[in-house]
Structure formats: structure tokens, C-alpha cells
Amino acid sequence: MRLMYRVATVALALVTVGALGALTIRPSVSEQERAERAATFAFEALALNSEPDDARYERNVAPDLDHFRGWISSVGAGGALLDLRDLGTSSDVCLVDPRDDSVTLRNAPGSGAADYPVMELLPDGLPYDHTMAPMGCVPADMDEDGDQDIIVYYWGRSPVLFLNTGTPEAAPTAKDFTAHEFVTPTQVWNTTALNVADVDGDGALDVLVGNYFPDGARILDPEADDETRMEMQQSMGLATNAGRNHVLLTEPTGEADTPPTVTDATAALPERVMTAWTLAIGFQDLSGNGLPDIYLGNDFGNDNLLVNTSTPGDVRLELVEGERDLTTPKSQVMGNGSFKGMGIAFTYVDGQDLPMMVVSNITSPYALHESNFAFVPDGEGADLLDGSVPFDEASEELGLARSGWSWDVKAGDFDNDGTDELFQATGFLRGENTRWPELQEIAMGNDQLLKYPWVWPTFAEGDDLSGHESNPFWVRGESGRYDDLAEPLGIAEEDVTRAFAFGDVNGDGLLDAVVANQWQDSRLLLNTAPDAAPGAVLRLVRPGAADGAPTPAIGASVVVDGEGHPPQARQLFPANGHVGASDSIVHLAAPEGDLPVTLSWRDGRGGTHTADLVVGPGTQTILLNDDGTAVVR
């Protein structure tokens, strides 16, 4: 009898374990269904660059960091799409290549526009040497004269503003861009993220700088054997000993080709936000008060959500955190996570008032298996003004939890059906010798030791940490879950990617994507979707400070909510994410032709306006006037 009882108990335990195991199996679709769904999309991969002369594949670093220079060398590839020549298409690329530390402008392959010689942006006349390297470029019309200037940010120095003095529709040349300091005197910053928005609501673009290693630390100086500021993160999940993030308010002078005045408003950042190891910045008006709230994706520590209640010249940012319930792990609570935040995207599912926020983290199987985030709205945006967070984490239910060692993530509608897809960058250090055991060892070690470089294991050329992953292309199914269709689409390359930039390169109404790779050639994915519906590409501009020249209306929003049309919502913040900046366009699906849209924007004096308009398929420029009218040009 006792034996039978034991057998029954064991059997029950096995059944229970089996049942629980079955519950942990992720739902998946068949290969046939993947192929059928993938048939909606198609891409042609076009080379953007090739291996430069004297290419290198690691950085020269400070002596204390030399034994794990592979880790230190893991960032630096970035890209942007823009309309530099005023052609009405995203026909120009700004590309950062760490193999020769170049920042170049070039014609986008597949654009159909006239080609021109690749042009390098060099900070001529400003302090610059081998201890400095570019990390990213952000197009932004900072003097509001109607042409796109470019902000380049670096490790080893503070950002540089390259003012565009060229002629519209002409190919860019070196003499068309003049280099100006953003902060004076030049600072030794190590910047890994930079974004632009009107933070204080005065009508002018401001700059949020996300710094990584401590200010003053000469990370890329092989002679810095006396550097006392050199330290790594002081915690695997709560680190706040990075360089200081900065809020720089700007005001155009009204003169073309003249740098704006800059005021440092960094004191408005809470202390724990100011010194986070920031890798990604996202702007979005979540509360509905017309000001961009801020999501910071931070490495080795809590991400931050900042609610913006600023007034012109007075920046006010309140740090908010979600509340934990019995079923939510601590690290999946908004603002309380201990993961490695490395990308942020906003997508308005079914035209909801609030977006789903998708955050990239490290999710490599059998390694640092954290979780990506998908914060879905479960309340009202106005709740944020009362300190409540109207979002719940649902990445596992949506199929988005796991992807690899993830970086940039961006949302866009690639088949013009009104539903966004997600591109996500993955990969860290590519080689043949796995170093995951060493990394796991230090991850499980004592946080008190982590900040000392000598504790870190060797990571050098030939070593591998998640170096053979592919970039997911997440497609939402009828059930609401997302599936990665990169493989059946033929774009599941084993790249080590850092960033994406979206735009309409050839003016066909379809989104295309730049893929910026680390220590590899980068490429452009030209969208050739065979049966895509028409798309509407809106270039929203407002009168600028320099003689009313049309300047991109960064921060403007567009809502489609008409009978017979897929509901859609967009906010124009092209540089959201990690080192990838999209073109300054709003892309909409127009499967039924003309779209009724509601436009909201802030003018150059800080006034807010709303207007209704009907827009058709194709590319059109819409002038958002200071008197509240919106006119298709």
C-alpha cells in the first residue's frame, strides 16, 4: 500500500512538472504560416559602405582597459537618413563607421537621385585627436534656416554642431558644413546617446545628451596611465556612477548659419537620472500636455521615465515609477528594472491614445537571459501628471520578451496596412571563442568589485559574446502576438548591429531602413513589398526663426481616426532610440486613398495648435502655420 502511494505521488509529481513545463513553452507558428505572412514583405539589401583602407577592428584604449578592449570597442556604429538636398525623399545617409572613425554623408543607394562623392564631416578648427571617436549623428535644423544641420557626438569630447551652409538641391561638400562647439569650453564627455526635442515648450529644439563613462575619463587614450577617473559600473543592476547626462536648451538667433545660444539646464535632472549609464533616449508626449516626456534606457541599472511639466526657460522633470503587484517581477516594473536598457521605441497599437513602449535588453539564451520590455497602456496619459504610471509589462504575452543581446529598436509600418512592425538590432562581440562563462562569473560576483577595471576578464579580438545573432523583424499577428519573420524574408544575417534609421528613400510610399553595423559593412534595406497598399509620407514643417524658412516640426503629432481607415497615431521624434536617427517624416498607411488627419503642433513662439486636414497618398509637405492653419504645399 505504501509503495502504491509512493508510485502515485511520483506519478502525480511528474504529471504536474510536465504540465508546468508545457506552460513554459512559447507559442509558435508553423513554417508554412511564417512563409505566408512573410509574403507580404520584401527587401532588397544594398551595400552602404565597404571596408575602409587601414580598417581596424578594436579601439586603442587606456592601459587600465586594455585587457578587455573588445568590450570597450563594442559601440560606435550609427546612422541617419535625411533629405539633405531638399529632394522630398530620404535620399541621403549619415553613417558612422568605427573601422576608421569616420562620419560621412552619401547618397542613399536605391534612391534614384544623382550620386555624389562620399563626404566626411571633420571638426576642422576644433580640438580633435586620436583620443576621440564619433559615436552617432543626429540631423537637426538648429539655426531654423530650412536646411538640415548635423550634430555629431563622440567619446573623448563634447558634441559638435555642423551647420549646413550649402545650397538646396546641390550635392554636399566639405565647405558646406562649418563646425561649432555645443558647449564651451570643450569637455571630455563619452556620449552614447543624443536626442532633440522642445523640452521646455518655448518652440525651439533642445538637446538631451546621454553620457556613459565618467566625465573627464580618457577612455580612448592609450597614454592615460595616470587616469584616476577610470571606472566601470559600480553595480550589475543599480549603477549610477556614469558621466553626467545634460539638458541643453537652445535659442536660435534668427540669423541663418549661426549657432543658437545654449543654456545648460542639467540641474533639472534628478540625481539618479543625471549619472545613469544611458544608452537610449526616447521622447514622447504621454501625458497629453503638449510637452515631450522622456524615457531613458540605462545600462546596468534602472531605466527612467520622466514626466515633463516644464515652462519656457524652466525645465521641470519628475521621475515616476510603476507599482509592483504579486505577479510582476521587480525588474519588469517601470523604472525599477535592473536590466541593460539599450533601445526604446513607441508604437500606437490600433490607434490607441497611448503607445506601447518597447525596450531592448539583453536576452541571450543560456547567458544573461533578462527580458525585453513591452509596456502596454492600462490607464490614461493624464495619470502621469498625478505620479501614476498607466502601463503594464506584457512582453512575454506578446512574444517580444526574447531576441538576443539587443540594442536599437524602431517601429514602422512596412506593408502599409496600418500596423507597425518592429526592427530590433542584436549582437555584441563577434568571434570564435565564447567568453560567456567569464562574463557570467563576473555577473554573479560582488558588486563592490565591479567598478574596478582589473576585475574584468579579458575580452579581445577573436572572442565572442552573442556575436552570431540575427536582427528580429517582429510582425504582429491576428492574435496580437509578434513573430520574428526575418528568416523567411531572407534578412536574418548574423550581423552585429547597433542601430536602424527609417525613411522613404525612393519616394514610393514604402519605408526603407538603414542598418548600421559594428566592425562590419552597413547596408540599406530597400522595401520592395509586392502588394503593399499606398502610403502617405508627410513632411511636417513650421516657419523657422531665420526669415520664416520651413523647418521640421519636431514633436508634432498626427492622428488618423476616420471611418473606413485604419486608426493610426504618430509623433515626430526622429532620433528616438540608440544611435539611429530616422528622417523627419510621418509615414501613414493609406489603403483607402485620402486620409482624414488631425495635426497638433507647437509653433516657434511656444503656442500650441490643432488642425484637421485631408491628405492623399504620396509625399507631401504640410506647412503648420503660427496662426493655427495647416496647408499642403
Side-chain angles (χ1 to χ4, degrees), residues 13-77:
L14 290 174
V15 170
T16 302
V17 169
L20 291 174
L23 290 175
T24 67
I25 299 174
R26 306 183 75 195
S28 60
V29 297
S30 67
E31 292 303 313
Q32 179 179 350
E33 184 178 346
R34 284 182 184 275
E36 291 173 354
R37 290 171 61 188
T40 307
F41 308 93
F43 296 96
E44 180 184 1
L46 302 174
L48 263 180
N49 61 347
S50 58
E51 183 179 67
D53 295 336
D54 301 322
R56 65 177 183 197
Y57 296 91
E58 285 186 328
R59 298 193 183 280
N60 295 320
V61 299
D64 285 351
L65 309 176
D66 190 63
H67 66 285
F68 61 117
R69 60 189 178 277
W71 182 286
I72 305 301
S73 303
S74 63
V75 293

Side-chain angles (χ1 to χ4, degrees), residues 359-445:
V359 180
S360 289
N361 292 305
I362 299 178
T363 66
S364 293
Y366 309 107
L368 289 185
H369 209 276
E370 299 173 345
S371 173
N372 296 320
F373 296 144
F375 293 112
V376 298
D378 64 354
E380 303 295 327
D383 295 344
L384 288 164
L385 298 174
D386 297 324
S388 298
V389 175
F391 292 94
D392 187 36
E393 208 287 315
S395 59
E396 187 63 46
E397 296 90 324
L398 293 173
L400 294 169
R402 309 167 205 177
S403 55
W405 192 310
S406 304
W407 297 85
D408 201 13
V409 58
K410 281 186 168 52
D413 183 358
F414 284 85
D415 60 351
N416 289 347
D417 68 347
T419 299
D420 283 346
E421 289 71 49
L422 298 163
F423 258 126
Q424 191 170 34
T426 62
F428 186 68
L429 183 63
R430 186 171 187 175
E432 301 305 322
N433 307 313
T434 182
R435 288 291 180 260
W436 268 114
E438 290 84 350
L439 181 56
Q440 288 170 326
E441 182 176 301
I442 192 173
M444 293 185 294

Side-chain angles (χ1 to χ4, degrees), residues 192-438:
T192 51
L194 186 146
N195 206 338
V196 294
D198 179 10
V199 173
D200 67 341
D202 69 347
L205 283 182
D206 307 308
V207 179
L208 179 53
V209 180
N211 287 330
Y212 199 71
F213 285 103
D215 295 349
R218 293 172 288 158
I219 303 299
L220 304 181
D221 185 356
E223 305 301 321
D225 51 7
D226 59 343
E227 179 59 78
T228 60
R229 290 160 291 200
M230 199 80 65
E231 64 179 29
M232 301 296 288
Q233 296 84 1
Q234 96 271 46
S235 168
M236 263 286 164
L238 298 171
T240 55
N241 61 326
R244 296 168 71 86
N245 294 334
H246 289 264
V247 178
L248 304 177
L249 304 181
T250 78
E251 182 179 356
T253 64
E255 296 292 330
D257 305 331
T258 303
T261 59
V262 178
T263 303
D264 194 328
T266 299
L269 293 173
E271 185 64 30
R272 62 180 282 196
V273 175
M274 194 181 300
T275 55
W277 295 75
T278 299
L279 286 174
I281 301 172
F283 285 116
Q284 202 80 177
D285 178 12
L286 302 172
S287 71
N289 66 354
L291 295 168
D293 304 299
I294 304 170
Y295 190 99
L296 295 181
N298 298 321
D299 207 2
F300 289 85
N302 304 141
D303 287 357
N304 306 129
L305 179 61
L306 298 168
V307 177
N308 191 350
T309 57
S310 303
T311 55
D314 181 15
V315 178
R316 294 196 295 269
L317 302 170
E318 180 184 355
L319 182 64
V320 296
E321 295 180 4
E323 294 183 1
R324 185 182 182 186
D325 57 32
L326 291 175
T327 62
T328 304
K330 170 183 172 294
S331 276
Q332 290 181 303
V333 176
M334 174 84 76
N336 201 28
S338 59
F339 293 162
K340 317 297 181 292
M342 302 156 93
I344 171 66
F346 303 88
T347 176
Y348 290 80
V349 179
D350 296 330
Q352 290 182 311
D353 292 337
L354 283 175
M356 176 172 73
M357 296 191 283
V358 181
V359 180
S360 289
N361 292 305
I362 299 178
T363 66
S364 293
Y366 309 107
L368 289 185
H369 209 276
E370 299 173 345
S371 173
N372 296 320
F373 296 144
F375 293 112
V376 298
D378 64 354
E380 303 295 327
D383 295 344
L384 288 164
L385 298 174
D386 297 324
S388 298
V389 175
F391 292 94
D392 187 36
E393 208 287 315
S395 59
E396 187 63 46
E397 296 90 324
L398 293 173
L400 294 169
R402 309 167 205 177
S403 55
W405 192 310
S406 304
W407 297 85
D408 201 13
V409 58
K410 281 186 168 52
D413 183 358
F414 284 85
D415 60 351
N416 289 347
D417 68 347
T419 299
D420 283 346
E421 289 71 49
L422 298 163
F423 258 126
Q424 191 170 34
T426 62
F428 186 68
L429 183 63
R430 186 171 187 175
E432 301 305 322
N433 307 313
T434 182
R435 288 291 180 260
W436 268 114
E438 290 84 350

